[in-house]
Amino acid sequence: MKSTHKLSMVATVGVIAATTLSVNPASAFSITTGGQAKGSPAGIEGLTTTVSNAVVIDFNDAVDSPYSTVSTVSQQGATYLPGNSLVINNGGVLAPTTGAAPYPGLPSGSTENTSAYLSLPTNSDTGLGSNQVTITLPKLSNYFGLHWGSMDDVSAGTPANQIEFFRNGQLLATFTPDDLTALGLDVEAGAGPNNQDRVRSNPYVNFSSDGSDEWFDEVVLTQLGNNPGIAFESDNHAYRPVPEPLTILGSGLALGFGAIFKKQQSRRR
């Protein structure tokens, strides 16, 4: 995701990879790669989720200028802070100061993603934007997906893209592209312009919590470090709220187990 390219995030139509892996018992998330081309012609808006009942934030209503702020787009019930995080909308035009993002490589050729996307910060030394955005979801959710553009890892000392999941302010899990590679997913992270037009470097990534303990209400995206040539670009964010009865049931079970535990403790005394 470098500043000298157009929107560049690569992926294939349909499922790219269906490898599902749990991180560990303490942070049980299943991670897959795969999405579907969005827009017409297919891919002109990057990749989006294939998960049913997911709410998609595509940034497409950003004002028609090289860049605007995330506060100006429809956040579909979520809240993005700080509101001055930059949404890039360059219509696919080469714009060196605005970063590079989602570019789907299709079986029949390639199509530039000319839609708007989020960039942390701007891949420039202008000082605009923020290197971190906190996405507060309206309800507990068990799924989050994003078209992750030219993933940057920590190779050769390069700062990495990072995604974190929280619940009530408590950190549940943290992932960088290196972690996805270590888990065996078919992704390729790196640094520099060489990863901007490769399918494996620009996947749609799906994070699903394996149990109610990992339901989350906040997602934090961060571009680590202060390298002006590196940014965290993404598009077509998607989240899936937990159905209300399940939320109530989960809370009820937790309270019930807590009461039983306290009763057992008092008996032992």
Side-chain angles (χ1 to χ4, degrees):
M1 310 174 195
K2 305 302 168 275
S3 59
T4 56
H5 284 63
K6 303 176 184 179
L7 301 182
S8 61
M9 227 173 160
V10 185
T12 54
V13 177
V15 175
I16 302 171
T19 305
T20 304
L21 296 162
S22 293
V23 181
N24 56 55
S27 306
F29 279 73
S30 295
I31 308 171
T32 64
T33 57
Q36 61 185 2
K38 188 175 188 295
S40 180
I44 200 169
E45 296 177 30
L47 294 176
T48 191
T49 184
T50 58
V51 172
S52 60
N53 301 319
V55 180
V56 177
I57 302 161
D58 60 18
F59 310 105
N60 286 354
D61 55 347
V63 297
D64 188 15
S65 65
Y67 53 81
S68 58
T69 59
V70 72
S71 59
T72 64
V73 304
S74 173
Q75 300 173 6
Q76 299 295 320
T79 301
Y80 283 66
L81 291 174
N84 66 347
S85 298
L86 290 181
V87 172
I88 309 303
N89 187 358
N90 60 12
V93 176
L94 187 63
T97 63
T98 55
Y103 166 97
L106 308 177
S108 59
S110 61
T111 301
E112 295 286 353
N113 174 0
T114 58
S115 70
Y117 62 94
L118 184 70
S119 180
L120 304 171
T122 61
N123 267 356
S124 74
D125 56 4
T126 62
L128 297 174
S130 170
N131 71 339
Q132 182 178 85
V133 66
T134 297
I135 308 166
T136 302
L137 304 176
K139 296 180 180 180
L140 281 177
S141 299
N142 57 15
Y143 165 80
F144 183 81
L146 75 168
H147 191 179
W148 197 332
S150 55
M151 308 170 94
D152 297 313
D153 62 15
V154 294
S155 64
T158 301
N161 306 153
Q162 175 180 278
I163 181 168
E164 298 170 293
F165 295 89
F166 291 82
R167 179 171 177 172
N168 295 327
Q170 180 178 353
L171 178 64
L172 300 176
T174 301
F175 302 100
T176 67
D178 299 272
D179 295 319
L180 304 190
T181 301
L183 288 170
L185 289 170
D186 187 26
V187 298
E188 179 183 4
N194 292 334
N195 68 342
Q196 292 186 4
D197 55 2
R198 296 177 181 176
V199 171
R200 295 174 61 240
S201 299
N202 298 263
Y204 197 91
V205 183
N206 306 283
F207 298 89
S208 300
S209 53
D210 289 342
S212 58
D213 287 345
E214 286 74 42
W215 292 346
F216 50 88
D217 55 18
E218 195 172 86
V219 181
V220 178
L221 307 180
T222 306
Q223 171 53 47
L224 302 174
N226 298 303
N227 187 333
I230 303 294
F232 187 166
E233 298 97 340
S234 61
D235 199 0
N236 299 324
H237 295 180
Y239 69 92
R240 181 178 59 194
V242 175
E244 204 64 41
L246 289 180
T247 304
I248 296 171
L249 177 60
S251 300
L253 288 174
L255 291 173
F257 283 126
I260 293 172
F261 178 75
K262 287 181 180 178
K263 187 175 292 186
Q264 289 177 339
Q265 289 290 92
S266 62
R267 285 176 179 172
R268 289 171 184 168
R269 292 173 186 163

